[in-house]
Amino acid sequence: MKKRLHRARIGLRKSGVDYFRGDGSDWVALAALLLTVPVITACTIVNPVWFSPAALVLPIVAGGLLLRPSSLLGLYAASAAALIVESVQLGPYTEGPARVTPGTVLAVAACGFFGLLIAQFRSRVGVPWRGGGTMLFDLRERIRVQSKLPKLPRGWHREMALRPAGGQSFSGDFVVAARTNGGRTLEVVLTDVSGKGMDAGSRALLLSGAFGGLLGSLPPHAFLPAANGYLLRQDWDEGFATSIHLVLDLETGDYELLSAGHLPALQLSAGTGRWEEKSGEGPLLGVYDGAQFDPVKGSLRPGDVLMLFTDGIVEAADRDIAEGIDRLTGEADRYVPGGFHGAAWHLIEAVAKDVNDDRALLLICRDA
């Protein structure tokens, strides 16, 4: 008896997991929906004022979300038979209200058509509707976790803000970061994938995982060549990206910046109060093999700030990049007296709130 109960429990659990993944049978959902069709039909015949013939769209819509295309056709056949029974029992629609009118038939047929399209899409993806939503949520959370910056030692402050285009959850801009060399070195890579929003989100997810694996596993100067080779192997139609790689010594403040066609970083010097552009030289990622990336060196002294950003921050249809950079530095100057804690998100809001492009901004500050 214990063995039989154990096998039954394992079988039930397996069938539940298979159904969640889209591999199990949908006969339970089909049977439940088929039972609702005669119930709705009977209620319509008894009281057509409160139960309209158009109520048959309810099991059809639910079937489009729960059933496979083959099972959905059986539900449609039962709904069509129910409409025929209702029209016969209620009489011709010209004799009064609460009848099966041509408009009712058209509405039910339209819902069935769109339900079939949804079912075919789910069947091609291979997950049920609730599993697809869970998968998208999980992907979004993975991008968010991968973009978290590691904690820095005392005397350093870091923060990042990322805002996708159109208020979406997925962005073509992402950050990967790690502390290497026994925690002494901070490596940060800010990447802008071609495209924006959902179009670039899937490629950004793939690249963020690959770049996160490469970061810290290779010497700093070998990271961008390896990333460039990875993009070339994907052979995407729109497969280029810009990237900037920061290698910062947290003990001395010395750093190197390697750029792959990315916008320059901006460094605020506490001594002069002026912003200076810092940029290495290198082509876009994914354009041609054998690309070289020449670094630029610098140092963050106490009170200095280093700002990395993507083109969505400074580029717009009504202004060029130079004007956008001037606007960004002018807005950032407002935070110099009180410090840059919490400034990343507010800078995006002030400079590029309504821009229909992915925006990302990263601040590295050394306390005075």
Side-chain angles (χ1 to χ4, degrees):
M1 179 62 70
K2 288 184 178 180
K3 289 182 179 179
R4 280 197 288 265
L5 289 176
H6 179 71
R7 284 195 297 266
R9 185 168 63 251
I10 295 299
L12 181 62
R13 183 185 303 171
K14 184 178 183 301
S15 63
V17 171
D18 289 342
Y19 182 70
F20 180 81
R21 292 176 175 174
D23 299 329
S25 174
D26 59 353
W27 65 269
V28 176
L30 176 61
L33 293 174
L34 286 176
L35 288 176
T36 62
V37 173
V39 173
I40 293 175
T41 303
C43 293
T44 301
I45 294 174
V46 172
N47 193 342
V49 175
W50 284 95
F51 296 93
S52 169
L56 285 172
V57 302
L58 299 178
I60 288 178
V61 171
L65 297 174
L66 296 173
L67 302 180
R68 292 184 174 83
S70 57
S71 302
L72 199 58
L73 294 178
L75 179 64
Y76 288 174
S79 300
L83 277 178
I84 295 174
V85 172
E86 290 177 353
S87 63
V88 172
Q89 293 294 323
L90 297 176
Y93 66 89
T94 56
E95 295 183 0
R99 302 292 200 275
V100 180
T101 65
T104 301
V105 177
L106 183 62
V108 174
C111 289
F113 173 74
F114 287 111
L116 186 60
L117 291 180
I118 294 174
Q120 288 179 339
F121 175 76
R122 288 190 294 103
S123 178
R124 185 176 64 179
V125 173
V127 293
W129 68 277
R130 60 194 181 283
T134 303
M135 181 181 65
L136 291 176
F137 175 79
D138 183 60
L139 292 178
R140 188 191 69 179
E141 289 302 301
R142 287 179 183 272
I143 294 177
R144 186 184 65 83
V145 171
Q146 288 179 352
S147 298
K148 291 185 65 175
L149 300 175
K151 291 184 179 180
L152 301 185
R154 188 175 182 180
W156 293 92
H157 171 70
R158 86 285 184 267
E159 63 179 77
M160 187 201 68
L162 191 150
R163 190 161 183 174
Q168 300 179 16
S169 299
F170 296 91
S171 172
D173 298 346
F174 66 89
V175 171
V176 292
R179 290 182 63 177
T180 59
N181 194 20
R184 172 174 176 169
T185 303
L186 173 67
E187 293 191 50
V188 180
V189 177
L190 175 60
T191 303
D192 184 358
V193 179
S194 57
K196 58 186 177 182
M198 291 291 291
D199 296 334
S202 58
R203 283 176 287 143
L205 176 64
L206 179 62
L207 291 182
S208 63
F211 286 11
L214 293 174
L215 193 67
S217 301
L218 298 172
H221 286 218
F223 174 82
L224 287 181
N228 181 58
Y230 180 81
L231 259 73
L232 290 173
R233 291 192 297 271
Q234 305 311 305
D235 197 23
W236 288 330
D237 293 335
E238 192 180 0
F240 66 89
T242 68
S243 190
I244 187 167
H245 182 194
L246 169 67
V247 184
L248 173 64
D249 190 322
L250 295 173
E251 293 186 1
T252 65
D254 296 334
Y255 67 85
E256 284 188 345
L257 276 174
L258 298 99
S259 177
H262 201 83
L263 293 175
L266 296 174
Q267 180 179 349
L268 172 66
S269 175
T272 62
R274 301 180 63 180
W275 292 91
E276 181 183 358
E277 294 186 2
K278 296 284 188 176
S279 178
E281 295 184 0
L284 299 171
L285 295 177
V287 176
Y288 62 88
D289 197 8
Q292 293 184 350
F293 305 93
D294 299 324
V296 62
K297 296 183 179 182
S299 181
L300 288 178
R301 294 173 293 275
D304 287 2
V305 179
L306 187 66
M307 182 161 51
L308 311 179
F309 51 91
T310 57
D311 58 1
I313 300 289
V314 297
E315 189 177 20
D318 57 345
R319 67 169 186 258
D320 58 17
I321 293 180
E323 182 181 352
I325 292 177
D326 289 341
R327 183 178 178 183
L328 176 61
T329 54
E331 191 67 29
D333 285 337
R334 299 174 54 187
Y335 294 89
V336 173
F340 283 81
H341 291 261
W345 182 261
H346 294 290
L347 285 174
I348 294 180
E349 286 286 307
V351 177
K353 179 180 180 180
D354 299 322
V355 176
N356 189 27
D357 196 0
D358 298 324
R359 289 143 291 170
L361 189 142
L362 172 67
L363 290 170
I364 305 291
C365 310
R366 190 173 186 182
D367 297 337

